[in-house]
Every structure is written in C-alpha cells, then in structure tokens.
C-alpha cells in the first residue's frame, strides 16, 4: 500500500491525497456505512494523525474516528476490541486538537477495557494510560492541542497501525 508507506514520510501530502481519493470513492460507490468505506475512513484518519499534523488534521481525524466507532459499535458491539480502538484513536485526535474534555471519557473507556482485557502492563494499556494522563493534565492546565499534537511522536500510531494490517478501521 503506497499511501501507508508514504504517510510517515516527507510525502505525507501525497499519501493524504491517495487516502482521500480511495475513501471518497468507496463512500460514493459503496455508501458511508459500508465496512470497506469505514476501513478507508480509519486509514485516512490515521494518516491525518501522522506527524507533523495540525489541529485541523486532528479535528478531521476525530470526525472520521467517530464514524468508524459508531459503525463498529453497531456491527460488533461497544466492547469489541476494534470499537475500543476507534474510541482510543478518536480520543487521541480530540486531545491533540485541544478538545481535552471530549477526549477524556473516550480515553477512560479505552483504558478500562484494555486493563480488563490485556492487563495493566500490556503495551496498549500503557499507551492508553499515558494518553489519558496527557489529556487530563492538558485539560486541568488549559492547554490547546497545538502543543499536544506537535510533542507526541508518531511511534505509538505506527505500532497500533501495524496491528491491524488491512483493517485500519473496519
């Protein structure tokens, strides 16, 4: 997948263009609730969150993750791992765009699920805990998303993305 390979590189804009083109095609021809459309929505959202990302990128990603979450919750249930992953990424996108109050409940949900399913020391649990602490601290300090988006590395996103090859958002 060329877009995935380029999303973390200097060719990010070209990758975003490819993701948008594919997502728009599937949304137009298969409908907004089609599983493949939602998969490409998650892929586009993830690409938007690669660094350097802007607050606007993160806001768009949060909207896409909301659609992915809603689709997964309806299709697989609120407690399905992929639904929780969508909530986690929506929370991250919201936090990185400065919408910390909206991010905290989503990150709390993801953390609770991951603690129960994976245990407290699993890498994904630690990532959710770190994200929740960052969002909570930023909320209490009144920080905007600019600092959060620019100071967070793309390594966590890359690790999460590798876990869902071909299932970026389904």
């Amino acid at each position: 997948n060329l877009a995935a390979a380029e999303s973390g590189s200097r060719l990010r804009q070209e990758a975003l263009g490819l993701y948008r083109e594919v997502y728009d095609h599937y949304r137009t021809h298969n409908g907004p609730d089609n599983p493949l459309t939602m998969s490409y929505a998650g892929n586009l959202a993830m690409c938007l969150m690669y660094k350097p990302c802007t607050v606007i990128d993160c806001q768009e990603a949060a909207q896409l993750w909301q659609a992915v979450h809603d689709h997964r919750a309806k299709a697989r249930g609120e407690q399905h791992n992929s639904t929780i992953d969508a909530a986690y990424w929506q929370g991250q996108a919201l936090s990185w765009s400065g919408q910390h109050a909206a991010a905290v409940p989503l990150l709390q949900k993801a953390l609770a699920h991951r603690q129960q399913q994976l245990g407290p020391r699993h890498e994904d649990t630690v990532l959710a805990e770190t994200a929740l602490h960052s969002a909570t601290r930023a909320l209490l300090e009144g920080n905007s998303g600019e600092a959060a988006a620019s100071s967070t590395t793309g390594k966590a996103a890359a690790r999460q993305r590798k876990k869902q090859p071909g299932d970026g958002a389904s």
Side-chain angles (χ1 to χ4, degrees):
N1 183 326
L2 177 60
E6 298 301 340
S7 62
S9 77
R10 62 182 173 79
L11 300 175
R12 182 175 176 271
Q13 291 307 313
E14 287 92 322
L16 278 170
L18 290 171
Y19 276 121
R20 284 184 200 287
E21 187 178 321
V22 171
Y23 171 63
D24 289 342
H25 172 83
Y26 275 86
R27 188 179 56 200
T28 301
H29 296 290
N30 294 6
D33 293 328
N34 182 279
L36 283 175
T37 303
M38 287 294 100
S39 180
Y40 290 115
N43 290 339
L44 173 58
M46 190 62 74
C47 186
L48 284 162
M49 294 174 70
Y50 275 106
K51 307 304 175 227
C53 63
T54 66
V55 168
I56 293 170
D57 290 338
C58 290
Q59 289 170 341
E60 183 180 355
Q63 291 173 348
L64 289 164
W65 282 122
Q66 176 68 55
V68 171
H69 174 272
D70 292 349
H71 173 77
R72 289 179 179 178
K74 184 178 176 183
R76 299 176 181 174
E78 280 290 336
Q79 295 304 310
H80 192 277
N81 288 338
S82 68
T83 306
I84 298 298
D85 286 345
Y88 169 79
W89 285 113
Q90 182 187 3
Q92 282 283 53
L94 288 166
S95 182
W96 293 356
S97 68
Q99 300 175 63
H100 306 295
V104 166
L106 293 166
L107 295 170
Q108 286 173 327
K109 175 182 176 178
L111 176 59
H113 178 82
R114 288 177 176 181
Q115 285 173 328
Q116 180 183 14
Q117 296 295 314
L118 304 172
R121 293 169 21 127
H122 190 278
E123 178 182 18
D124 290 348
T125 304
V126 173
L127 288 171
E129 186 173 29
T130 301
L132 175 59
H133 286 297
S134 294
T136 302
R137 182 174 49 250
L139 179 62
L140 295 174
E141 294 173 358
N143 291 339
S144 73
E146 288 287 348
S150 65
S151 68
T152 306
T153 68
K155 291 179 183 175
R159 281 195 301 272
Q160 288 287 331
R161 193 142 196 267
K162 286 180 187 175
K163 293 180 182 184
Q164 299 179 15
D167 189 36
S170 62

